[in-house]
Structure formats: C-alpha cells, structure tokens
C-alpha cells in the first residue's frame, strides 16, 4: 500500500457511486402492467355484459308482429268453471323461437276476470304449435278472451 500523501498536497477525490437495485424499477413496471391489465379486463367485461344484455333484450321483449301468426280457437270455462283459452301460433321469424302468449279474460261488460300467460316451446321456422292458457279465476259461459300480447321467451329460443 502506498504511503499517504503529505498534508496540504493535492488529494484525489473519491466519488462513491451507489447503484440502486432494479427492484424498485421492476416493481413500478409490474404495477403499471397490472393497472393496464385491470383496465383491459374491465373494458372486456363491459363489452361482454353489453352483448349479453342485447341478447336478453332480443329474446324476451315483445315479439315483432311479423315473427308469428296467432289464432285464438277456443274461449270458454273448463269443467270446473276456470277461464280457459287455447289456440295456435306459427313461427314466422328467421330462427328457432319460443313464445309467451298472454290472454285477458273479461266479462261481457269488459270487466277483467284475469290475465294469464302460457309458454310455447321453441318452434322451428314455419312450425305451428298449440297453446292453452288457464286461469284459476271462475268464469261463466259468456267469458270473453283476447290475446293481450305475445313475447319472445329466452327459455325456448335458438340457444
């Protein structure tokens, strides 16, 4: 080892450079990637949820008039005086589809007795199915029936 320089002489300055470990940098990069991944997953989830909502809306809303042909063939009390209506429905849509038929039972003076519905299993394009709606409300022979509405049903559609 060399002897120390005499006092008052020039002494070289030693600069100590501390190197930081890459842990902090790696941590910050990992946090950034995690945040971007979370945002991406959230957006993907939002798009998937929107598509699912559209599918459900298309499957349970009021059926378009051109998607079916419906007929009311019978309206009378059954053997125990319950209001009963029946008929047929043809699937005119461009896909396999199920329907829900809602019938209003009224007295001759248009007083509501009951409003009930029935489901028709999925019908292929052009297929005709039968439906029957029965109410537990008592009815007389002069009960009137009207088809109130026809809805698509998610339970019996193409998926």
């Amino acid at each position: 080892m060399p002897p120390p320089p005499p006092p008052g002489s020039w002494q070289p300055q030693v600069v100590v450079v501390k190197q930081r470990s890459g842990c902090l940098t790696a941590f910050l990069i990992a946090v950034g990637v995690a945040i971007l991944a979370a945002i991406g997953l959230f957006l993907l989830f939002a798009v998937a949820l929107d598509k699912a909502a559209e599918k459900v809306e298309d499957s349970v809303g009021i059926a378009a008039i051109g998607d079916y042909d419906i007929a009311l063939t019978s309206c009378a009390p059954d053997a125990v005086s319950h209001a009963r209506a029946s008929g047929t429905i043809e699937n005119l849509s461009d896909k396999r589809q199920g329907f829900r038929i809602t019938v209003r039972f009224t007295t001759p003076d248009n007083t509501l007795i009951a409003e009930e519905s029935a489901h028709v299993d999925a019908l292929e394009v052009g297929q005709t199915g039968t439906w029957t709606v029965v109410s537990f409300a008592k009815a007389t022979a002069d009960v009137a029936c009207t088809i109130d509405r026809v809805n698509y049903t998610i339970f019996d559609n193409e998926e």
Side-chain angles (χ1 to χ4, degrees):
M1 185 151 147
S9 67
W10 178 83
Q11 296 180 4
Q13 299 290 323
V14 177
V15 179
V16 178
V17 178
K18 293 185 179 179
Q19 287 188 337
R20 294 187 178 175
S21 68
C23 290
L24 179 60
T25 304
F27 174 74
L28 292 175
I29 290 172
V31 167
V33 169
I35 289 172
L36 289 175
I39 291 170
L41 285 174
F42 176 77
L43 291 174
L44 184 65
F45 180 72
V47 168
L49 193 61
D50 184 54
K51 293 288 184 189
E54 284 178 16
K55 185 117 179 112
V56 169
E57 187 176 313
D58 289 344
S59 298
V60 297
I62 295 175
I65 293 173
D67 282 354
Y68 64 91
D69 182 29
I70 192 163
L72 175 67
T73 57
S74 170
C75 175
D78 62 13
V80 289
S81 297
H82 291 145
R84 179 184 188 97
S86 60
T88 60
I89 186 167
E90 181 182 2
N91 179 10
L92 301 177
S93 73
D94 60 355
K95 64 181 181 179
R96 179 179 157 103
Q97 184 65 59
F99 297 95
R100 186 183 72 191
I101 295 99
T102 303
V103 174
R104 290 178 53 89
F105 298 99
T106 56
T107 61
D109 65 352
N110 209 26
T111 302
L112 181 65
I113 298 171
E115 184 175 284
E116 304 290 343
S117 61
H119 293 269
V120 175
D121 287 336
L123 299 173
E124 298 296 334
V125 176
Q127 183 181 7
T128 299
T130 59
W131 55 269
T132 300
V133 177
V134 179
S135 173
F136 289 112
K138 296 293 183 182
T140 59
D142 55 357
V143 64
C145 304
T146 55
I147 298 169
D148 187 52
R149 66 188 169 276
V150 177
N151 292 68
Y152 299 118
T153 176
I154 194 169
F155 303 114
D156 290 318
N157 69 1
E158 68 178 336
E159 264 90 55

